[in-house]
Amino acid sequence: MKRLLNTLYVTSHNRYLSLDGENVVILEKEQEVGRVPLHNLEAIVTFGYTGASPALMGACAQRGIGLTFLSGNGRFIARVTGEVYGNVTLRKEQYRTSENNSESLRIAKNFIAGKVYNSKWILERMARDYPLRLDAEKLKSKSDFLSNTLHSIKECEDAAALRGLEGEAAAVYFSCLDDMILQQKETFIFRGRNRRPPTDEVNALLSFAYTLLASMCASALETVGLDPYVGFFHTDRPGRKSLALDMMEELRGVMGDRFILTLINRKEVSAKGFLRKENGAVIMEDETRKAFLSAWQRKKQEMIKHPFLGEKVEWGMVPYVQAMLLARFLRGDLDGYPPFFWK
C-alpha cells in the first residue's frame, strides 16, 4: 500500500477494499492492514482480482474519487467513476494540446530528453562498474555525443528535427549494447535493433520487454483518465497507443534494456531457451518466458527514489507516477512535464 500525489496504490494481489464510515479499509484475509480517510484521496488504484465492496465503489463515485482495477500484471481492467468526473475536461485538454504543434513539441521534447539522458547514464554507469571489461573510452565518447544531443533537443523547434535527434541518439546508444553483454557472448549477440519479427535472441528479449512496458504505460494513462491513443511525439494511427509509446520512450533503457542485460549477464536465460522458426523469427520457449516474467515481477517490486517526487517507489509504479505528473501538467497544476531522469 502506497500513497502518492493523493492516490492510494494497493499493490498486493490478495487485498480487499471496503468502506467504514468515511474511510477506505484495506483487508487481507479479513484482517485490517490499513485505512485511509476518503477526503485525503483523489484516486484509488488496486492491482489483482480480490476487488472492492459495492459500498466503497458507490462512495468513490459520489465523491469523484477514481477507483481503478488492474490485473496483477498491471493490465487495465476497469475504472469506476461517478456521474461528474474530471476525465472529460482532462481529455479535452489532451486533444487540444495534441493539435497544437508547439505545445505538443514542448511535451515531446521532455519525453525524448528523458530517454537520451537515461541512455547516457546507462553507458556512464556500465563504464564505471566494469572499467576492465569494457572499452571505457568508447562508452565515454558515446556518452559525450548523447550529452550534446540533450543540448540540441533543448533548442529544437521542429518535430521532424526532434525525430531525427531521437533516431541518431538511439543508434549511438544501441551501438554500445553488444559491448554491455558481458556473459554468454558467443550466443547473445546484438548487431542492431530488429523486430516484426526479431531475428536473434537479444531482440526477442527486447521486444517482449517493450511489449510489457507499453502495456504498463497504457494502463497508467487509463488510470489517470488520459487517452493512451492520442500522443504528442508519436503521430496518431488507428490502433496505435501513441501516448503510451511516448511515455515509454524515457523508460525503455532503464526499465527494459537494463533488465535484459541483467537477465543475460546473470545467466537467468540461455540460448537453449529460444526457438528459431522457418521464417528466421526467434521466439522464446515457454520456460524462458516464465523465467522472464518471474524476474520482471521481482524487478517491478524493487524500490528506487523517484527523482522528481523525492519519495521511494517501486519500479513498477514509475509509469503510474509519470502518468499522474503528465495529467497534472495538462490540468495546469505543473509548469512543465517532468521526465523521469534516472542516475
Side-chain angles (χ1 to χ4, degrees), residues 273-318:
F274 294 81
L275 176 67
R276 186 174 294 276
K277 304 183 75 173
E278 291 183 0
N279 65 353
V282 172
I283 61 174
M284 288 182 284
E285 294 187 336
D286 287 345
E287 288 304 313
T288 301
R289 189 176 294 106
K290 290 178 183 177
F292 185 111
L293 290 171
S294 178
W296 181 260
Q297 290 300 105
R298 292 195 302 271
K299 178 64 179 178
K300 285 165 58 179
Q301 294 169 5
E302 292 180 8
M303 301 295 293
I304 62 160
K305 185 176 181 180
H306 192 278
F308 181 77
L309 297 183
E311 294 186 40
K312 288 187 176 181
V313 299
E314 297 175 355
W315 264 115
M317 296 305 304
V318 171

Side-chain angles (χ1 to χ4, degrees), residues 157-174:
E157 297 182 355
D158 178 76
L162 180 63
R163 286 191 286 271
L165 291 170
E166 185 274 334
E168 288 180 358
V172 167
Y173 164 74
F174 274 131

Side-chain angles (χ1 to χ4, degrees), residues 112-113 115-124 139-153 165-176:
I112 303 308
K115 175 180 183 175
V116 174
Y117 180 94
N118 293 334
S119 298
K120 164 187 165 61
W121 279 106
I122 290 172
L123 301 184
E124 293 273 356
L139 266 61
K140 182 64 169 64
S141 172
K142 304 297 185 182
S143 174
D144 289 343
F145 179 91
L146 296 178
S147 294
N148 291 331
T149 302
L150 284 171
H151 292 297
S152 299
I153 290 172
L165 291 170
E166 185 274 334
E168 288 180 358
V172 167
Y173 164 74
F174 274 131
S175 72
C176 299

Side-chain angles (χ1 to χ4, degrees), residues 101-102 105-106 109 152-162 165:
N101 292 335
S102 62
L105 180 63
R106 179 187 176 193
K109 285 167 63 173
S152 299
I153 290 172
K154 185 177 180 180
E155 302 299 326
C156 181
E157 297 182 355
D158 178 76
L162 180 63
L165 291 170

Side-chain angles (χ1 to χ4, degrees), residues 22-265:
E22 293 296 312
N23 300 285
V24 54
V25 179
I26 299 92
L27 302 171
E28 183 173 342
K29 296 180 180 178
E30 300 185 356
Q31 297 295 315
E32 181 176 327
V33 295
R35 71 171 48 216
V36 179
L38 285 174
H39 70 262
N40 289 338
L41 297 175
E42 294 178 0
I44 301 171
V45 179
T46 180
F47 293 71
Y49 299 101
T50 307
S53 71
L56 177 64
M57 288 190 276
C60 288
Q62 290 174 359
R63 291 163 176 79
I65 300 171
L67 176 57
T68 303
F69 297 92
L70 306 176
S71 72
N73 291 326
R75 181 177 58 82
F76 179 82
I77 298 175
R79 182 174 56 249
V80 177
T81 61
E83 183 177 355
V84 178
Y85 193 64
N87 289 351
V88 172
T89 303
L90 175 61
R91 289 202 176 194
K92 286 179 70 175
E93 182 61 28
Q94 177 188 358
Y95 301 148
R96 187 194 67 78
T97 302
S98 72
E99 295 296 324
N100 186 304
N101 292 335
S102 62
E103 292 187 23
S104 285
L105 180 63
R106 179 187 176 193
I107 300 173
K109 285 167 63 173
N110 283 2
F111 286 136
I112 303 308
K115 175 180 183 175
V116 174
Y117 180 94
N118 293 334
S119 298
K120 164 187 165 61
W121 279 106
I122 290 172
L123 301 184
E124 293 273 356
R125 179 170 285 196
M126 289 295 291
R128 182 197 68 192
D129 292 346
Y130 303 99
L132 301 180
R133 303 183 65 180
L134 293 170
D135 185 343
E137 288 299 318
K138 174 183 176 181
L139 266 61
K140 182 64 169 64
S141 172
K142 304 297 185 182
S143 174
D144 289 343
F145 179 91
L146 296 178
S147 294
N148 291 331
T149 302
L150 284 171
H151 292 297
S152 299
I153 290 172
K154 185 177 180 180
E155 302 299 326
C156 181
E157 297 182 355
D158 178 76
L162 180 63
R163 286 191 286 271
L165 291 170
E166 185 274 334
E168 288 180 358
V172 167
Y173 164 74
F174 274 131
S175 72
C176 299
L177 192 66
D178 189 64
D179 300 274
M180 294 186 283
I181 298 173
L182 304 176
Q183 301 289 340
Q184 308 184 83
K185 293 187 72 69
E186 67 283 355
T187 51
F188 286 96
I189 303 169
F190 183 79
R191 295 189 177 91
R193 183 77 178 108
N194 58 69
R195 53 188 175 175
R196 299 184 188 138
T199 57
D200 60 68
E201 292 81 358
V202 178
N203 274 290
L205 291 168
L206 288 173
S207 291
F208 193 43
Y210 294 163
T211 298
L212 294 175
L213 185 55
S215 178
M216 289 174 64
C217 290
S219 291
L221 294 164
E222 288 271 16
T223 296
V224 301
L226 288 167
D227 186 340
Y229 289 89
V230 178
F232 305 110
F233 178 68
H234 290 84
T235 55
D236 295 343
R237 184 183 300 172
R240 181 166 78 173
K241 297 180 179 180
S242 296
L243 186 57
L245 296 178
D246 285 355
M247 180 165 291
M248 178 180 161
E249 290 296 342
E250 59 190 296
L251 303 176
R252 280 179 186 267
V254 290
M255 291 188 69
D257 303 348
R258 290 182 68 244
F259 173 75
I260 296 306
L261 290 171
T262 298
L263 280 185
I264 297 171
N265 290 336

